[in-house]
Amino acid sequence: SQKIEQNSEALNIQEGKTATLTCNYTNYSPAYLQWYRQDPGRGPVFLLLIRENEKEKRKERLKVTFDTTLKQSLFHITASQPADSATYLCALVPSSGGSYIPTFGRGTSLIVHP
Amino acid sequence: GAVVSQHPSWVICKSGTSVKIECRSLDFQATTMFWYRQFPKQSLMLMATSNEGSKATYEQGVEKDKFLINHASLTLSTLTVTSAHPEDSSFYICSAIPGRINEKLFFGSGTQLSVL
């Protein structure tokens, strides 16, 4: 069966360090992968998209990598700040079947300590 | 950026009553809107895809007679939880895409439903 796995344990890091979050998937052939940020009691906010033929994408302090061989995406936040504390969701959009509806992982909570 | 407004933010109701949740795209037309529910520390579970002017497409296991979806215009979709029960208590979130190809979703702020 198709699975998207994100570490369910919260990631605690010190301010200024780089946070790295992992998204692994099985039995998927994603056309692209998205990362969202979700704050408590709020809807997710889109951050970045990376396509299957792209290895890396950057946006300000954010960097996403996509390894279709390992079936893994890594999401990095450099120079992390307490304001980066939130839950980060990855979502996969399939490349076949005609559906562009993303399927979400359960997210990983990031806590940045001052 | 595209803005999606969702109301109410939270609602408490008695068991057996119906609750309507509204989702509006404020600055774009949304042919397609999605409705999700989310339990604490769980992923977003797609409930249904709402298409303007046609019937919604429900995911397997979602009762269409219990979760009524109406998408009467290009900027408004509503989800009505009929005869709500405590097990329907959850966080409901809508999202919309400004176009056909979904490269990113724009989400509403969510509705926390508590059924007593």
Side-chain angles (χ1 to χ4, degrees), chain A residues 41-108:
Chain A
R42 308 289 294 178
V45 175
F46 173 81
L47 296 175
L48 279 171
L49 175 151
I50 187 164
R51 301 177 193 282
E52 60 178 334
N53 59 351
E54 297 176 316
K55 295 291 186 186
E56 183 179 296
K57 209 70 166 296
R58 291 176 185 262
K59 179 183 176 182
E60 298 172 351
R61 294 185 296 112
L62 308 180
K63 184 178 86 170
V64 172
T65 61
F66 195 9
D67 189 324
T68 54
T69 301
L70 290 178
K71 296 187 185 298
Q72 180 182 79
S73 174
L74 299 178
F75 177 79
H76 307 271
I77 305 176
T78 58
S80 59
Q81 305 164 0
D84 295 326
S85 299
T87 296
Y88 292 86
L89 310 171
C90 73
L92 273 66
V93 177
S95 60
S96 61
S99 168
Y100 293 97
I101 303 172
T103 300
F104 287 83
R106 66 171 56 190
T108 298

Side-chain angles (χ1 to χ4, degrees), chain B residues 36-53:
Chain B
Y36 292 86
R37 67 187 296 181
Q38 185 179 36
F39 293 106
K41 298 190 184 299
Q42 299 297 313
S43 65
L44 294 166
M45 296 303 298
L46 180 66
M47 298 175 66
T49 302
S50 168
N51 298 296
E52 186 269 336

